Amino acid sequence: MRITIIGSGNVATHLAAALKNAGHRIVQVYSRDMQNAALLAYHVKAEAIDGLQDIDPETDLFLIAVKDDAIMSMAQSLAQYQKLTVHTSGATALSVLSSIIPNSGVFYLLQTLSKNKEVDFLNVPLCIEGANEQITCELEQLAHTISNKVYRIDSAQRKILHLAAVFACNFPNYLYEVSRQLLARQNIDFELIRPLILETAQKVQGNLPLDVQTGPAARNDQNTMDMHLQMLQDEPGLKMIYELLSQGIIKNAKGDIERK
Amino acid sequence: MRITIIGSGNVATHLAAALKNAGHRIVQVYSRDMQNAALLAYHVKAEAIDGLQDIDPETDLFLIAVKDDAIMSMAQSLAQYQKLTVHTSGATALSVLSSIIPNSGVFYLLQTLSKNKEVDFLNVPLCIEGANEQITCELEQLAHTISNKVYRIDSAQRKILHLAAVFACNFPNYLYEVSRQLLARQNIDFELIRPLILETAQKVQGNLPLDVQTGPAARNDQNTMDMHLQMLQDEPGLKMIYELLSQGIIKNAKGDIERK
């Protein structure tokens, strides 16, 4: 497929590389910032452009990977070419695109991407939605060229998935950082806690999180929780987080016992 | 070494097995519940006992792995034998033991253990503290027979480590469960989100969490955060968790920019 990449952020970068590796041809990379466009274009042997008037209409797919609030204006600029156009946003409905370009879809990567960390694309879940069955099939085929995990997910489901991903990824990563900061104050190396973080994530690969919950709240160990809250007394924000999450764990544990 | 295991929970079970595998002899397993004692004793070829009067004094180490609030009474019962005695609690100071048994220490596993999941003990950080230098050395040697990651950690540091572990393990696992429940309501398989969970933990093995934070809060994407809060309007607990953790991420991101 001939593919034009609109954007040069994390999603654009990883997706362009994966598609290029799978044998597709990246025609152009567009970014408002020529330096960013050029950097990504160089990696995927494409032409870099920083003006939408330079778009090459000889492409099969416009892949929009820009900030959510810029998707609509991109769609308006690209509509004239009448090519298959997809966005990659978890939080944006297909209708934002399909109301402007009938020949459109969504290509959502359910993964956390950083520019300086490679990712095993074959295991990245790709969530596909097309404005009609033919487009969905076409996007599914494209997705299968780079990943073994391709799912049909409509806009309502994707909205929930995106929210769930915040709880499963962004928030845990923030809590890792809280943990790092607590240790740093006592000159304890974050290295000590890294195996614990990895094992916690590995445990839920084959189990449900509820079944492997550990810690003071899971045991309803009030003494330890009180001691921890005491240790956090100068950090009202962290103290409140500790209380809320512990309450959630206690509530889940109770529900679990009632079910059994 | 001849080792007596006091307790039959997760820590007792994993530690007894690892020590047995490393060539130590498990003399007895004590539990108030004979069935639990017998099950673990069978696995590590030890004698099961459910009464402290049946303790065999011919041992080199009493390893106490019981609930935190039972450690002191166990120490009182074991003091008469004048053997090296350690507890395995993250939240309990060495003094709880050493005030009763001078020949004592702490053997704290910084890992989340579930009975039905094996763990690669060589990578489990073991945090060692002895009542004196000789005991510390002896416990370090013992620790090195089962793990490559042995650290000297005093009671004040261990207290912080234990709190940090709650933030790095127990709370993320709870958030995985929240994510699972959000998906379940829309009949979306938790399987979709598992690779994201694993990648999030893998990313911080070689990076600092602050440097790989992603998501709406990290971008200060107010529209998406407002949409997510709207979706959580019937769940005041989750809504508050979303707000607090997002505020923390935004605050960290600001601090990070100021530093650079």
Side-chain angles (χ1 to χ4, degrees), chain A residues 4-210:
Chain A
T4 302
I5 307 285
I6 309 293
S8 61
N10 284 336
V11 174
T13 299
H14 284 272
L15 210 39
L19 289 165
K20 175 74 185 168
N21 285 342
H24 301 284
R25 188 180 148 215
I26 312 299
V27 182
Q28 291 181 317
V29 173
Y30 163 82
S31 168
R32 280 184 309 183
D33 178 330
M34 191 51 167
Q35 216 173 336
N36 290 343
L39 188 66
L40 176 52
Y42 174 79
H43 280 294
V44 295
K45 301 194 169 127
E47 184 192 357
I49 57 171
D50 62 355
L52 288 168
Q53 71 284 1
D54 299 325
I55 287 281
D56 180 351
E58 293 300 307
T59 189
D60 301 311
L61 173 68
F62 288 114
L63 200 151
I64 302 177
V66 298
K67 281 191 179 165
D68 292 356
D69 54 13
I71 292 173
M72 196 184 285
S73 76
M74 283 297 158
Q76 280 156 348
S77 300
L78 298 170
Q80 56 179 307
Y81 305 110
Q82 299 185 340
K83 303 284 178 176
L84 178 57
T85 304
V86 299
H87 76 63
T88 55
S89 163
T92 307
L94 170 58
S95 58
V96 170
L97 217 54
S98 61
S99 60
I100 301 166
I101 307 176
N103 189 15
S104 60
V106 179
F107 204 93
Y108 172 52
L109 284 70
L110 190 51
Q111 191 50 281
T112 172
L113 303 169
S114 302
K115 278 199 181 170
N116 56 346
K117 169 140 183 0
E118 285 209 23
V119 69
D120 171 19
F121 238 91
L122 285 178
N123 286 313
V124 173
L126 297 184
C127 302
I128 299 304
E129 183 181 14
N132 60 45
E133 178 62 24
Q134 193 204 318
I135 296 173
T136 304
C137 284
E138 203 174 333
L139 291 175
E140 267 184 326
Q141 276 180 23
L142 177 65
H144 275 298
T145 66
I146 58 173
S147 170
N148 291 327
K149 298 190 173 170
V150 179
Y151 300 89
R152 286 185 177 210
I153 295 289
D154 66 27
S155 289
Q157 289 175 313
R158 194 171 55 253
K159 200 170 157 181
I160 290 284
L161 256 180
H162 188 250
L163 175 62
V166 171
F167 279 92
C169 162
N170 306 149
F171 290 165
N173 188 74
Y174 168 69
L175 295 173
Y176 303 158
E177 175 62 20
V178 169
S179 167
R180 190 194 67 76
Q181 290 178 8
L182 289 171
L183 294 177
R185 278 181 228 159
Q186 302 281 325
N187 292 313
I188 304 172
D189 196 329
F190 183 57
E191 191 57 32
L192 258 90
I193 214 109
R194 281 187 164 123
L196 178 64
I197 287 172
L198 192 56
E199 174 68 12
T200 305
Q202 278 170 342
K203 257 170 125 171
V204 298
Q205 299 303 307
N207 295 285
L208 296 182
L210 188 60

Side-chain angles (χ1 to χ4, degrees), chain A residues 182 215-217 219 221-235 238-239 242-243 246, chain B residues 68 90-92 108 158-167 170-171:
Chain A
L182 289 171
R219 302 189 292 274
D221 174 352
Q222 202 61 54
N223 288 339
T224 300
M225 287 188 277
D226 288 346
M227 186 181 79
H228 285 166
L229 289 172
Q230 180 66 25
M231 291 164 76
L232 295 170
Q233 64 177 340
D234 296 333
E235 319 248 13
L238 293 186
K239 200 176 158 190
Y242 189 101
E243 279 175 331
S246 295
Chain B
D68 291 357
T92 307
Y108 172 51
R158 194 171 55 255
K159 201 171 155 180
I160 290 283
L161 255 180
H162 188 250
L163 175 62
V166 170
F167 278 93
N170 306 148
F171 289 166

Side-chain angles (χ1 to χ4, degrees), chain B residues 20-36:
Chain B
K20 174 73 185 171
N21 285 343
H24 301 283
R25 188 181 147 215
I26 311 299
V27 182
Q28 291 181 318
V29 173
Y30 163 82
S31 169
R32 279 184 309 182
D33 179 330
M34 191 51 166
Q35 216 174 336
N36 290 343

Side-chain angles (χ1 to χ4, degrees), chain B residues 1-5 15-28 44-46 57-63 82-86 103-105 107 128 134-146:
Chain B
M1 235 177 167
R2 291 170 301 180
I3 299 170
T4 301
I5 307 285
L15 210 39
L19 290 165
K20 174 73 185 171
N21 285 343
H24 301 283
R25 188 181 147 215
I26 311 299
V27 182
Q28 291 181 318
V44 295
K45 298 190 172 133
E58 294 300 307
T59 189
D60 302 311
L61 173 68
F62 288 114
L63 200 152
Q82 299 185 341
K83 302 286 178 176
L84 179 56
T85 304
V86 299
N103 189 17
S104 59
F107 204 93
I128 299 304
Q134 193 203 319
I135 296 172
T136 304
C137 284
E138 203 174 331
L139 291 175
E140 267 183 327
Q141 277 179 23
L142 176 65
H144 275 298
T145 66
I146 57 173

